[in-house]
Amino acid sequence: MQILLKVFALFIVLACGSSKNNSSSNQSENQSGKKFPLHKIKLPEGFKIEVYAEVDNARSMALSPNGTLFVGNRRGDKVYAVIDKNGDFKADEVKIIASDLTMPCGVAFRNGSLYVAEVNRILRFDNIEQNLNNPPKPVIVNDKLPSDRHHGWKFIAFGPDDKLYVPVGAPCNICEKDNPIYASIARMNPDGSNLEVFASGVRNSVGFDFHPDTKELWFTDNGRDMLGDDLPSDELGRAYKAGLHFGYPYCHQGDVPDPEFGNKRSCDEFEKPMQKLGAHVAALGMRFYTGSQFPEKYKNSIFIALHGSWNRSSKVGYKVAFAKVENNKVVEYSTFAEGWLEGQDNWGRPVDVQQLKDGSMLISDDHANVIYRVSYQK
C-alpha cells in the first residue's frame, strides 16, 4: 500500500512539473505576442506571420543574392544589414553599416555594391557584404538631386535596363514647378551619369517594381491632400514606355481635375491609373510576386504596403493589399493582410514588401520597428 502511495505521489509531482513547464512556454509566447500582437493579423487561410527581425524605423528593403537584407530608414540616419546565418528565417544579427545620413530610405543592390538614396544624392558602398564589420567609405554616385525634404525620401531600384530608377517627389502638397525633375520617376546609369526623367506627373512614388514578363515599370503614387476624406485616391500606375505623364498637378486619380491647376490641362491628356488604391491610404512599397511558395493566384501579381492615413477623419490603410494582374490589367484588388489598425488606434504601419528566396515574403514596419515574414503551408 505504501509503495502504491509513493508511486501516486511521484505521478502527481511529475504531472505538476509538466504542467508548469507548458504554462511557462505559453507565457513566453504571450509576452512576445504583447510586444508584437501577431495574432491580430488576419491573413488568407494557410498563411502565417512571424517576426523576422527587429529594426528601428524599418523602411525600404533590398535583398542581395547571398541573402543579406539591407534596410533603410526615414526617421533616423542609419542603414542596416540584417543577417540570417543559419537559414531558419529569423535574423541572427542586425548591423548598422552606415550612419549620419539624411533620410536614407532607399536601398538597392547591384554587383556586390549597395546603393543608398539620401534626399539629394545617391551613395554606393562597394564590396559591402565582405565588409559588414568595417563598411567602406561610400562613393558619391550622384549629388545633383533636389534637396527639398518635403517628399524627399526615396525608394530606389535597378530596372531590367540596368539603370537606377529614382523618384523625385513634388516639394509640396500641390504646386506647379518648372523643373521637370520634380514629381517624376527619373533614372540614371549605375555610375550616376545620364540622369533623365522617365515618367512625369507622379506626385510621390515610394515604391515600384518591374513586371517579370513584360519588364514594364509599375508604381504606387500618393494622391494630394486637403480635398476631403475620400478624394483623391492613391494610384497604381503602369509606365509601359518613357515619356508618359500621369497627371499631377493637373489631374488626380485619372478623373478628378485639381481645383487650382485643373483648368490648365484636361484629364484626358494623361495616363489613367491601373487601379485606384483608396484615398489617403499612403500606398508605399510594392513587389511582383514571382515565387512558388504561395498559391498560383498570386504568381506575377502585386503586393502593396498601405502605410495608412494621417490626415483623414477616420483612419484607413494600415494593411497589405493584393492586386491580381492579367494581360496588363488589374482583375482583382483585395486585402491580403490586416490587423495593424484597431478602430482608430494602430500598433503598426506596413512600409515595404520583399520576397525571400524560398518564396516567403517580408513586410517592414516603421512604427512597430520590426520586419515580419509571411509564409504559406498547404
Side-chain angles (χ1 to χ4, degrees), residues 74-241:
R74 170 189 162 191
R75 185 177 62 218
D77 63 347
K78 297 174 176 59
V79 177
Y80 302 90
V82 180
I83 305 157
D84 173 16
K85 294 180 178 178
N86 56 9
D88 65 350
F89 300 106
K90 291 185 179 179
D92 300 297
E93 197 169 6
V94 177
K95 292 178 177 289
I96 297 173
I97 59 170
S99 57
D100 298 322
L101 303 179
T102 304
M103 293 184 178
C105 183
V107 285
F109 194 86
R110 175 186 179 272
N111 293 346
S113 296
L114 176 69
Y115 289 70
V116 176
E118 292 186 277
V119 169
N120 70 321
R121 63 180 186 169
I122 306 296
L123 305 177
R124 189 184 75 234
F125 295 81
D126 292 329
N127 201 27
I128 185 63
E129 288 183 289
Q130 281 67 49
N131 296 281
L132 293 177
N133 293 323
N134 187 25
K137 183 178 179 180
V139 175
I140 297 176
V141 174
N142 188 303
D143 60 358
K144 306 302 182 186
L145 299 170
S147 59
D148 310 80
R149 290 201 174 202
H150 195 125
H151 299 150
W153 56 94
K154 294 171 173 57
F155 174 95
I156 59 174
F158 279 93
D161 54 4
D162 200 34
K163 290 182 180 289
L164 182 65
Y165 285 69
V166 181
V168 179
C172 55
N173 172 36
I174 186 74
C175 57
E176 189 178 31
K177 293 289 184 179
D178 292 333
N179 188 344
I181 196 71
Y182 285 117
S184 77
I185 297 177
R187 64 181 178 181
M188 65 182 75
N189 292 332
D191 64 1
S193 62
N194 295 332
L195 175 66
E196 62 178 355
V197 171
F198 179 76
S200 302
V202 181
R203 178 178 177 270
N204 183 34
S205 177
V206 196
F208 49 81
D209 198 7
F210 300 86
H211 192 287
D213 293 332
T214 68
K215 312 304 179 186
E216 296 170 349
L217 174 69
W218 291 61
F219 62 92
T220 59
D221 189 17
N222 284 213
R224 67 156 292 177
D225 301 313
M226 310 310 173
L227 288 186
D229 275 1
D230 301 318
L231 286 175
S233 178
D234 287 3
E235 301 175 20
L236 176 64
R238 169 178 164 245
Y240 52 88
K241 64 179 181 179

Side-chain angles (χ1 to χ4, degrees), residues 245-350:
H245 197 297
F246 291 85
Y248 178 88
Y250 313 103
C251 180
H252 311 291
Q253 70 173 41
D255 54 13
V256 174
D258 186 78
E260 184 175 352
F261 299 104
N263 60 347
K264 293 188 174 184
R265 297 182 67 175
S266 167
C267 284
D268 294 335
E269 297 180 48
F270 308 115
E271 293 296 312
K272 306 296 183 185
M274 305 305 294
Q275 178 67 46
K276 297 177 183 179
L277 303 177
H280 310 299
V281 294
L284 300 185
M286 57 150 282
R287 292 291 200 289
F288 281 95
Y289 182 78
T290 59
S292 56
Q293 184 183 118
F294 290 6
E296 183 65 25
K297 70 169 287 187
Y298 298 101
K299 190 80 168 184
N300 291 352
S301 290
I302 304 172
F303 288 101
I304 305 171
L306 305 182
H307 195 227
S309 59
W310 61 270
N311 62 344
R312 199 174 182 277
S313 60
S314 58
K315 291 182 177 180
V316 292
Y318 302 90
K319 60 185 179 180
V320 175
F322 168 69
K324 185 169 179 58
V325 177
E326 293 180 354
N327 299 319
N328 287 324
K329 294 182 179 180
V330 176
V331 297
E332 176 189 340
Y333 180 60
S334 59
T335 295
F336 175 75
E338 62 181 343
W340 289 278
L341 178 65
E342 300 177 281
Q344 291 302 294
D345 296 320
N346 65 282
W347 60 270
R349 300 186 79 181

Side-chain angles (χ1 to χ4, degrees), residues 354-365:
Q354 173 68 57
Q355 183 181 309
L356 289 177
K357 287 183 178 181
D358 73 328
S360 60
M361 183 174 68
L362 301 179
I363 303 170
S364 61
D365 182 334

Side-chain angles (χ1 to χ4, degrees), residues 10-26:
L10 179 61
F11 174 80
I12 294 296
V13 170
L14 291 173
C16 289
S18 175
S19 175
K20 183 177 180 180
N21 289 336
N22 288 336
S23 175
S24 175
S25 175
N26 290 335

